[in-house]
């Protein structure tokens, strides 16, 4: 009799333990499914915000091109599903009186989440109306050496005074990225961004790849050195707070170079674009210069998630 009671008790304990384990498993599955549903719910809302912000950004850029975007504004509230969340959308137009350019930000958000897209447009440094942009190569002091178009190389002291007043650090608020690392140069190239460098030793563009693709707006508070034999294929705007050194055999297909102090160009170089230098220009042998007016067009950086 005692043995039977003990056996039944053992079975009851086993069944009880099994029920506890099963209950725990069911609860774990419930929480797991709940977390998965919540995650998918948040993902759906985020995708809707991203789509809305992207559509509004495209419309705002179209309005800007047609001259109809002059100030910030908000859009009427919209309802997002699931959850009947109220979405607020705002377009902010930010300008800087001391820097020719603007930043356009689109914010789409609900009470628990928001998403920001931003796009920056920069005009030629100091404004396209500057007289030195009418010439292909302008030096503030003197020019040493010759090129294939000597009639397009001039010295204008006024250009030196104007460029001396250029506040390169003003671009820091617009700079989205640092200069690329060697691996990024090799694998990615430029990504139509605005790159800012404040290193005391300056910056360099290495010749890790023979041809470097992509557009870039490059700003350095100090020097920039372009290494020998680098071929820059994309559009390049460069604002240099000190001096620029261009190595031998460098080719630039579409470049606007603005240099506060001195410029040195190596031998067998080719530049298509416009150059303005506040100090001296030293030109190596066999330098080819060709004007391109399209480097003065506004530079539209790629839209990015802020």
């Amino acid at each position: 009799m005692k043995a039977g009671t003990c056996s039944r008790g053992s079975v009851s304990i086993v069944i009880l333990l099994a029920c506890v384990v099963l209950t725990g498993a069911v609860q774990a599955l419930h929480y797991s499914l709940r977390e998965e549903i919540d995650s998918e719910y948040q993902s759906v809302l985020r995708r809707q915000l991203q789509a809305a912000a992207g559509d509004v950004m495209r419309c705002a850029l179209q309005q800007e091109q047609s001259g109809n975007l002059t100030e910030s504004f908000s859009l009427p509230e919209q309802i997002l599903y699931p959850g009947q969340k109220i979405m607020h959308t705002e377009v902010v137009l930010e300008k800087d009186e001391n820097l020719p350019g603007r930043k356009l930000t689109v914010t789409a958000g609900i009470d628990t989440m928001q998403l920001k897209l931003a796009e920056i447009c920069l005009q030629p440094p100091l404004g396209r109306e500057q007289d030195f942009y009418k010439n292909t190569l302008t030096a503030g002091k003197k020019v040493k050496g010759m090129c294939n178009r000597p009639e397009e190389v001039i010295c204008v002291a006024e250009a030196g005074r104007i460029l001396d007043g250029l506040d390169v650090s003003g671009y820091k608020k617009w700079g989205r990225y640092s200069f690329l690392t060697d691996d990024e140069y090799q694998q990615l190239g430029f990504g139509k961004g605005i790159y800012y460098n404040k290193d005391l030793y300056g910056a360099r563009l290495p010749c890790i790849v023979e041809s470097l693709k992509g557009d870039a707006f490059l700003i350095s508070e100090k020097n920039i050195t372009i290494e020998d034999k680098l071929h820059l294929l994309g559009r390049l705007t460069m604002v240099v707070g000190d001096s620029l050194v261009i190595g031998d055999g460098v080719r630039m297909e579409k470049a606007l170079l603005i240099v506060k102090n001195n410029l040195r160009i190596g031998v067998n170089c080719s530049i298509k674009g416009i150059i303005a230098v506040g100090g001296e220009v030293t030109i190596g042998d066999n330098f080819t210069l060709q004007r391109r007016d399209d480097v003065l067009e506004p530079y539209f950086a790629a839209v990015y998630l802020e």
Side-chain angles (χ1 to χ4, degrees):
M1 188 69 177
K2 291 181 179 180
T5 303
C6 181
S7 176
R8 286 194 298 272
S10 299
V11 172
S12 299
I13 292 173
V14 170
I15 294 175
L16 179 61
L17 289 174
C19 290
V20 170
V21 171
L22 182 59
T23 301
V26 171
Q27 289 179 342
L29 179 60
H30 169 75
Y31 288 125
S32 175
L33 290 174
R34 183 174 178 179
E35 288 179 359
E36 185 175 342
I37 292 171
D38 288 344
S39 176
E40 181 61 25
Y41 170 71
Q42 297 297 323
S43 178
V44 169
L45 289 175
R46 176 167 290 277
R47 287 197 297 269
Q48 290 183 78
L49 291 177
Q50 188 168 0
D55 288 342
V56 173
M57 176 65 79
R58 283 188 289 272
C59 291
L61 291 174
Q62 291 174 359
Q63 290 297 311
E64 181 183 48
Q65 291 177 2
S66 61
N68 296 323
L69 181 64
T70 58
E71 59 184 2
S72 304
F73 63 92
S74 298
L75 294 174
E77 295 178 350
Q78 301 290 326
I79 304 296
L80 298 185
Y81 295 94
Q84 293 185 327
K85 295 287 187 178
I86 298 176
M87 180 180 69
H88 303 274
T89 309
E90 183 182 25
V91 178
V92 176
L93 180 62
E94 180 183 354
K95 295 183 179 181
D96 190 328
E97 294 181 357
N98 300 317
L99 189 68
R102 64 99 183 102
K103 179 180 180 181
L104 191 62
T105 305
V106 175
T107 303
I110 55 178
D111 57 347
T112 58
M113 182 190 310
Q114 75 172 15
L115 186 141
K116 283 188 177 183
L117 291 180
E119 197 267 355
I120 295 174
C121 173
L122 293 176
Q123 301 289 341
L126 297 171
R128 186 171 180 169
E129 68 279 359
Q130 294 293 336
D131 287 338
F132 52 71
Y133 286 135
K134 298 175 182 178
N135 194 62
T136 306
L137 194 160
T138 304
K141 293 183 180 179
K142 59 183 178 180
V143 178
K144 301 177 182 178
M146 296 288 291
C147 72
N148 62 317
R149 297 175 181 270
E151 71 280 3
E152 297 186 21
V153 179
I154 64 172
C155 292
V156 181
E158 180 64 19
R161 288 191 290 270
I162 293 173
L163 288 170
D164 186 59
L166 174 61
D167 181 15
V168 175
S169 63
Y171 283 97
K172 187 175 182 179
K173 65 179 293 185
W174 305 101
R176 174 65 180 168
Y177 308 100
S178 300
F179 275 44
L180 303 180
T181 64
D182 289 356
D183 288 341
E184 289 171 333
Y185 279 117
Q186 188 170 14
Q187 298 175 15
L188 305 173
F190 291 119
K192 203 178 180 183
I194 300 171
Y195 304 84
Y196 189 90
N197 180 276
K198 60 179 181 179
D199 195 289
L200 292 175
Y201 299 99
R204 70 185 181 100
L205 300 186
C207 189
I208 296 175
V209 291
E210 184 176 343
S211 299
L212 186 57
K213 300 178 180 179
D215 298 345
F217 198 111
L218 304 173
I219 309 106
S220 177
E221 294 183 4
K222 300 298 181 181
N223 301 323
I224 293 182
T225 299
I226 303 177
E227 294 188 350
D228 296 349
K229 298 181 180 180
L230 182 60
H231 187 190
L232 293 153
L233 299 174
R235 177 183 178 181
L236 182 70
T237 300
M238 189 176 292
V239 182
V240 187
D242 198 343
S243 295
L244 172 62
V245 177
I246 299 176
D248 298 339
V250 170
R251 291 177 291 163
M252 307 173 78
E253 300 297 333
K254 189 177 181 181
L256 175 60
L257 307 180
I258 308 299
V259 184
K260 286 193 69 171
N261 289 331
N262 302 322
L263 167 65
R264 185 179 74 79
I265 302 173
V267 301
N268 301 319
C269 291
S270 171
I271 298 177
K272 299 176 183 177
I274 295 175
I275 305 170
V277 180
E280 297 182 1
V281 177
T282 303
I283 301 174
D285 295 337
N286 195 29
F287 173 51
T288 302
L289 178 66
Q290 179 182 333
R291 182 178 179 85
R292 287 193 63 157
D293 287 310
D294 54 357
V295 298
L296 297 176
E297 294 298 319
Y299 178 87
F300 291 93
V303 176
Y304 62 90
L305 187 65
E306 195 171 59

